[in-house]
Amino acid sequence: MAENTSKNAIVTGASSGIGAATVRQLRSDGWNVIAVARREDRLAHLAQDTGATPFAADITKDDDVARLRAFATDTFAPSGGVDTVINIAGGARGVDTVANAQEEDWEWMYRVNVLGTMKVLKAFLPALREHGYGTVLNLTSTAGHTTYEGGGGYSAAKFGQHALTGALRLEEAENNIRVIEVAPGMVATEEFTLNRLGGNQEAADKVYQGVEKPLTAEDVAGVVGYAVGLPHHINLDQIVLRPVAQAAAHKLIRR
């Protein structure tokens, strides 16, 4: 088979943060991109700025995912079909201990991070196999590799997504689908921590207080763009990236 020559990507979670930055990175690298998120207004602005194709959908809903699959199939048919699926959509809610766990928060995190990723992949794996040079990139987290107090729910969800990614790599290698995991540590974005802490801006600001140069959404997007832009036979199985100030999950330098 000839090397992959199409550059057609689907990016979920594209309305803000790492997802939006990834769309911008890929577009600057010459990719055709369908930007997927729930918030149509934000997608419209992103599309205007980048030339990406917006598609409003909730990846946890089967009907929305089915609509996305049909739309992407038609959109990318003239340029070689879907070859890359990048799952950025996810998130965290709460910092409660296991003893004080809010079940609705845990259920939301599992639904978005694990089941949403699964639904998107299940929808697009046939197209990736047919293409012959498919790529899947899942954005997980260092929280999916190491636990910490108050992070049980988020870690459980990201451990699940991490496990899903590893199994997928084994299952789809025979179909020439490369499966990449990008696991960031501390990333300062406008919404992640704010949403996790229930909209408390003061508490969100304290998370990053004194930390010299936490990662940015653009830092992570640059790594994502690099990983999916490599020749297809090179698979960066797992990429862990942290700011220098965060030597480990339990060691963070504040100045």
Side-chain angles (χ1 to χ4, degrees):
M1 292 185 293
E3 181 59 86
N4 179 31
T5 56
S6 61
K7 298 176 75 173
N8 298 327
I10 296 164
V11 179
T12 70
S15 61
S16 67
I18 296 170
T22 296
V23 172
R24 295 180 187 279
Q25 179 68 53
L26 293 182
R27 287 295 297 151
S28 71
D29 292 342
W31 287 73
N32 304 311
V33 179
I34 296 176
V36 183
R38 290 174 295 120
R39 293 178 287 185
E40 292 186 61
D41 55 337
R42 288 187 172 235
L43 287 178
H45 288 302
L46 182 65
Q48 185 175 15
D49 290 345
T50 64
T53 301
F55 190 87
D58 182 339
I59 64 163
T60 68
K61 296 181 177 179
D62 292 339
D63 289 347
D64 281 17
V65 174
R67 287 192 303 106
L68 171 61
R69 178 179 57 197
F71 179 80
T73 299
D74 291 344
T75 300
F76 287 148
S79 55
V82 178
D83 61 77
T84 300
V85 175
I86 301 176
N87 290 297
I88 306 292
R93 283 188 180 176
V95 290
D96 299 318
T97 63
V98 174
N100 296 311
Q102 301 295 311
E103 289 188 19
E104 61 270 24
D105 289 344
W106 283 57
E107 288 175 353
W108 181 88
M109 287 186 282
Y110 190 82
R111 187 167 64 251
V112 173
N113 292 286
V114 182
L115 297 182
T117 298
M118 177 272 291
K119 289 176 185 291
V120 172
L121 292 174
K122 188 175 179 180
F124 284 100
L125 280 172
L128 296 178
R129 292 167 181 162
E130 182 179 356
H131 184 279
Y133 286 91
T135 294
V136 169
L137 186 146
N138 292 338
L139 186 83
T140 63
S141 169
T142 53
H145 302 170
T146 305
T147 58
Y148 55 94
E149 293 168 287
Y154 184 56
S155 286
K158 286 299 184 181
F159 263 89
Q161 192 184 30
H162 163 69
L164 177 159
T165 305
L168 183 72
R169 185 179 299 114
L170 297 172
E171 293 163 356
E172 296 299 331
E174 66 185 60
N175 296 313
N176 201 36
I177 295 176
R178 63 177 173 179
V179 179
I180 303 164
E181 177 184 359
V182 174
M186 176 176 275
V187 185
T189 63
E190 70 270 26
E191 289 190 329
F192 177 85
T193 301
L194 186 64
N195 289 340
R196 183 175 196 175
L197 299 178
N200 186 330
Q201 187 66 62
E202 183 179 358
D205 291 342
K206 286 183 179 179
V207 171
Y208 307 101
Q209 189 172 5
V211 180
E212 186 176 1
K213 293 185 177 180
L215 298 178
T216 66
E218 289 72 24
D219 293 333
V220 181
V223 172
V224 171
Y226 176 77
V228 300
L230 287 170
H232 189 270
H233 70 284
I234 303 172
N235 190 44
L236 301 182
D237 285 14
Q238 184 183 103
I239 308 167
V240 176
L241 61 154
R242 298 185 178 94
V244 172
Q246 188 185 32
H250 62 277
K251 185 175 179 67
L252 180 64
I253 306 301
R254 299 183 188 271
R255 302 190 186 279

